[in-house]
Amino acid sequence: MNSAAKRSHAPEIIVVAGCLIALISFGPRASAGLFQIPMTLQFGWGRDTFGLALAIQNLLWGLGAPFAGAIADRFGIVRVLCVGALLYAAGLVMMAYATTPLQLHFGAGVLIGFGLSACSFNLILAAFGKLLPESWRPLAFGAGTAAGSFGQFLFPPIGNILIETLGWQQALIVFAFTLLPVIPLATMLAMRKTGAAVGQAAAANLPNQTIRQALGEAFKHRSYVLLVLGFFTCGFQLAFITVHMPAYLKDAGLPAWVGGWTLAAIGLANAAGSLGSGWLSSRMPKRHLLAWIYFGRAVAIAAFILIPASPTTAIIFGITIGLFWLSTVPPTSSLVMLMFGTKYMAMLYGFAFFSHQVGGFLGVLLGGILYERFGSYDIVWWLSVALGVASALINLPIVEKPVARPHAQPA
């Protein structure tokens, strides 16, 4: 029997450490929209300039995820998480001192983008899949996602307070320092090799399968391709709302605190939605769960843009969309593990996440470009609705069973 990675700490410690990393890494990124108006006003930039920086961030976060996942699969997750945290912090510092669009795009776009690819929840979920017993995994996937959501609840209101009291530059520096605890926490996710196997109700790992073979197998698998395509919509909707919602509400005549608390409401509701999704992932077909989530988002967005904006409607929308926010992640990651096993889970989930981030890139970029062109976000809002319906339909034909491997050995 092939050796397998076994946890070096108790499951409780692994889950807590992973959840704290997810919370810390997701918080500053979820607060990015708060800095759009102060930065564009100070430097006279258009929203398309700020939007491009965040679009680059989303794209490189996704582009780097498969490579970070492959490195973590091969050499372990600890070094990857530490390097990611340092890149992320450096990007926030450079963003704070950026005075030209190029500096903004390199700091907020390139450094933070690659930093996120190496220290965000996509790697945490892969670590949970490798380190935790099978019985822990569905709820742990939900908990890791929910922890990122709780970071979205905590950081935007704090960011608003810091911007108002210290200024936007110092707020970014404070956010940079909050990433440093990721380094000691990452050591709790170290893996060691043993002869004991961790049971899994998923595809058996192929001990001699190469990265190239794993990729060829995955992209010839129709259900994986459908899953990857559907995940595009998730990124489009989330990134657009995260970056442009505060400005959209400001344009509607609402005070700045409404945008911060709407993002916070999304984060808090997302924690509940992600935990619920993790629980449901083991109790109903995952493809049906994904279809309902995407359709629910489409309905929530359509209702929000058809009703006049007010603090009450904004917060209600934040709670409603928050329930569907990252609830796609537990069933998506569970399906990847079910289809292909844990050996290359970080990399294969990374490719699904790349699709997610290509969607995020376009959501942020189109939001800025179309706003500057038409003075409104309406086109992107309605595009989000249409994509939600499309992804609901795309996920329905997915077949929920392991890929056929007649000579596979359990791992």
Side-chain angles (χ1 to χ4, degrees):
M1 182 176 293
N2 187 47
S3 294
K6 186 183 178 184
R7 62 185 182 274
S8 54
H9 297 280
E12 295 86 351
I13 294 176
I14 293 169
V15 172
V16 170
C19 287
L20 286 173
I21 293 172
L23 184 155
I24 292 168
S25 65
F26 204 74
R29 182 260 176 186
S31 308
L34 301 177
F35 297 90
Q36 177 168 216
I37 289 179
M39 290 190 76
T40 53
L41 286 177
Q42 178 165 333
F43 297 111
W45 298 332
R47 292 185 190 178
D48 51 347
T49 299
F50 188 88
L52 178 59
L54 274 294
I56 293 170
Q57 178 190 116
N58 278 280
L59 185 64
L60 296 185
W61 181 4
L63 184 64
F67 296 99
I71 295 169
D73 285 333
R74 182 73 182 272
F75 300 106
I77 198 172
V78 176
R79 292 189 183 96
V80 178
L81 287 171
C82 292
V83 171
L86 293 174
L87 285 174
Y88 194 167
L92 287 168
V93 171
M94 187 163 188
M95 184 178 173
Y97 292 104
T99 57
T100 67
L102 182 61
Q103 291 171 343
L104 174 68
H105 295 157
F106 185 74
V110 177
L111 290 178
I112 295 180
F114 282 131
L116 279 165
S117 72
C119 73
S120 58
F121 65 85
N122 49 303
L123 283 182
I124 300 303
L125 299 185
F128 285 170
K130 290 175 180 287
L131 294 169
L132 294 174
E134 180 189 338
S135 60
W136 280 73
R137 290 173 187 163
L139 198 57
F141 287 161
T145 310
S149 310
F150 197 65
Q152 184 169 343
F153 168 71
L154 286 178
F155 276 71
I158 293 172
N160 261 334
I161 293 170
L162 291 173
I163 290 170
E164 292 175 1
T165 56
L166 301 178
W168 64 267
Q169 290 174 310
Q170 292 304 313
L172 287 168
I173 298 298
V174 172
F175 278 175
F177 276 102
T178 65
L179 288 164
L180 298 183
V182 168
I183 296 173
L185 287 168
T187 62
M188 299 295 102
L189 302 180
M191 292 177 282
R192 57 187 171 88
K193 298 287 185 179
T194 77
V198 180
Q200 60 186 69
N205 291 337
L206 292 173
N208 298 317
Q209 188 181 43
T210 65
I211 288 176
R212 184 175 181 178
Q213 290 169 338
L215 289 175
E217 178 184 64
F219 283 100
K220 291 176 183 176
H221 193 57
R222 180 172 178 265
S223 292
Y224 178 75
V225 173
L226 292 173
L227 186 68
V228 169
L229 290 175
F231 217 25
F232 171 92
T233 292
C234 183
F236 186 97
Q237 294 168 331
L238 268 58
F240 167 68
I241 293 172
T242 298
V243 173
H244 293 289
M245 173 65 83
Y248 172 80
L249 295 174
K250 188 82 171 177
D251 292 343
L254 301 179
W257 65 265
V258 178
W261 279 104
T262 299
L263 293 178
I266 291 172
L268 189 60
N270 188 15
S274 298
L275 285 171
S277 176
W279 183 79
L280 288 171
S281 289
S282 60
R283 290 165 173 81
M284 67 180 289
K286 298 171 184 61
R287 66 187 186 279
H288 292 167
L289 178 58
L290 285 168
W292 279 113
I293 290 168
Y294 286 120
F295 184 72
R297 284 190 192 175
V299 172
I301 293 170
F304 175 63
I305 57 181
L306 290 172
I307 298 172
S310 70
T312 301
T313 60
I315 299 298
I316 291 174
F317 173 70
I319 294 170
T320 305
I321 199 70
L323 292 173
F324 301 113
W325 193 252
L326 285 176
S327 55
T328 56
V329 172
T332 299
S333 53
S334 294
L335 281 170
V336 173
M337 187 176 69
L338 172 67
M339 293 174 190
F340 305 109
T342 61
K343 183 176 182 181
Y344 290 114
M345 182 184 170
M347 179 183 68
L348 294 178
Y349 180 76
F351 275 99
F353 189 70
F354 176 59
S355 173
H356 182 284
Q357 293 307 101
V358 171
F361 170 81
L362 291 174
V364 175
L365 186 64
L366 288 177
I369 291 174
L370 293 177
Y371 179 86
E372 292 297 324
R373 178 78 180 272
F374 300 106
S376 167
Y377 291 114
D378 288 351
I379 294 175
V380 189
W381 280 120
W382 284 111
L383 185 55
S384 295
V385 173
L387 287 171
V389 175
S391 281
L393 298 175
I394 285 172
N395 277 274
L396 289 176
I398 287 174
V399 178
E400 299 185 33
K401 65 180 182 181
V403 64
R405 286 173 175 169
H407 303 294
Q409 296 295 322

